[in-house]
Amino acid sequence: MTSHIVDSVDHLNAEWSVLSADSSKAAAVAGWLVDAGVFTPDEAPTDLRTLLKELNLRDRVLGRDHTDWWMGALLQHAIGPGETGRLAARVVMQAMLPGAVKTARRMQKFDRPYAEVTHIVVASLFEVVRHYPLHRRPVKIAANLLMDTVRISCRELRWDGPWLPGSSQAPLDDARHLSEDTNQEPEQWALRSELAAAAATSGLPGLECTAEDLVGSRRDVVDLLLWALSERVVGPGGVAAISDQYQGAVVPDELAARRAGVRPAAWRQRRSRAVSQLRQSAGIWLEQTA
């Protein structure tokens, strides 16, 4: 069971290599995208790996509208039966896989192994792609796919985060779930929303934030602290001692210590130990977030 879970992402990447070597698969997918006007007949790549890279490059230049264009074209087929539906879904899933892996890490419950969460998230993503209500939700598709994946994964893990839309009737094109920054990648917004919610759920002082707050170094600090807590690198007391320093107004040691029921000197010592523990393990976190 464990080896199967650990290998789930590697298995998908290996499968993708096999699919990419099959020119007939690429021809079918390219044909759908040509029919949708995403490619002209003479510019469509002839293997799936190159095709997906080209779509990603164009997404960076043309933005969300382009992502919705090609994903919508493939999802029209992905929700259908048979080999056609599975192939179209598989291409969309591969495009979403990096975001799904990061999502799994950020939504990891403290008493569930990361590999198990990843396995559940990947399986949920495929289910979401195969049943995506394109006619109802034709915009912000990538972000909607991620958030629906989180919702289903949480149900599987019996961990219903309060920030999640209660049902697929509350898509991310609802302004309540979207950033005002129209240049921001939808996947990044979904991940920042999850990170902010996980920080709030932790109940630790100094980690309260909104998705808009999670930019630059503050996002990295919050991500690192939540990772350290989930991996038991640092305990809740140590994380609290560090996170207090990252509030808008730094909490004086005297106040933080009194709130924790210890003396200021003990509070500072606790923070020093936690920082040392983080330094020793930060390299592992960097490898996982690369």
Side-chain angles (χ1 to χ4, degrees), residues 7-17 49 52 56 70-71 89-105 114 117-126 129 142 145-146 149 187 191 290:
D7 293 341
S8 59
V9 175
D10 289 341
H11 173 77
L12 287 173
N13 286 328
E15 180 186 72
W16 182 247
S17 295
R49 193 185 300 277
L52 195 53
N56 288 333
W70 72 262
M71 279 197 172
R90 187 64 184 80
V91 176
V92 175
M93 185 172 179
Q94 190 68 26
M96 297 294 300
L97 191 57
V101 171
K102 290 181 180 179
T103 296
R105 183 176 54 77
Y114 166 69
V117 176
T118 301
H119 179 72
I120 290 173
V121 169
V122 167
S124 298
L125 173 61
F126 188 73
V129 170
L145 288 172
L146 270 184
T149 297
E187 296 91 339
L191 292 173

Side-chain angles (χ1 to χ4, degrees), residues 33-34 52 114 117 124 187 215 218 233 244 248 250 268 272:
L33 294 174
V34 168
L52 195 53
Y114 166 69
V117 176
S124 298
E187 296 91 339
V215 293
R218 180 165 176 76
V233 171
D244 259 335
V250 176
R268 286 189 288 270
S272 178

Side-chain angles (χ1 to χ4, degrees), residues 2 19 28 45 55 59 62 64 71 106 111 139 161 167 170 208-209 227 258 265 274 287-288:
T2 301
L19 285 173
L55 290 172
D59 284 348
L62 301 174
R64 289 178 182 169
M71 279 197 172
R106 289 189 168 114
D111 61 351
V139 298
S167 73
E208 305 92 344
C209 56
W227 172 84
R258 186 162 61 250
E287 288 179 3
Q288 292 186 6

Side-chain angles (χ1 to χ4, degrees), residues 55-104:
L55 290 172
N56 288 333
L57 286 173
R58 295 187 181 196
D59 284 348
R60 295 191 188 103
V61 175
L62 301 174
R64 289 178 182 169
D65 288 345
H66 182 264
T67 306
D68 287 340
W69 187 8
W70 72 262
M71 279 197 172
L74 294 185
L75 286 171
Q76 286 181 349
H77 297 279
I79 59 180
E83 182 60 30
T84 293
R86 287 191 293 273
L87 175 60
R90 187 64 184 80
V91 176
V92 175
M93 185 172 179
Q94 190 68 26
M96 297 294 300
L97 191 57
V101 171
K102 290 181 180 179
T103 296

Side-chain angles (χ1 to χ4, degrees), residues 137-157:
R137 303 165 69 182
V139 298
K140 311 297 186 290
I141 292 174
N144 274 318
L145 288 172
L146 270 184
M147 293 302 279
D148 281 0
T149 297
V150 172
R151 178 175 55 82
I152 293 174
S153 300
C154 287
R155 188 173 63 212
E156 291 291 322
L157 293 164

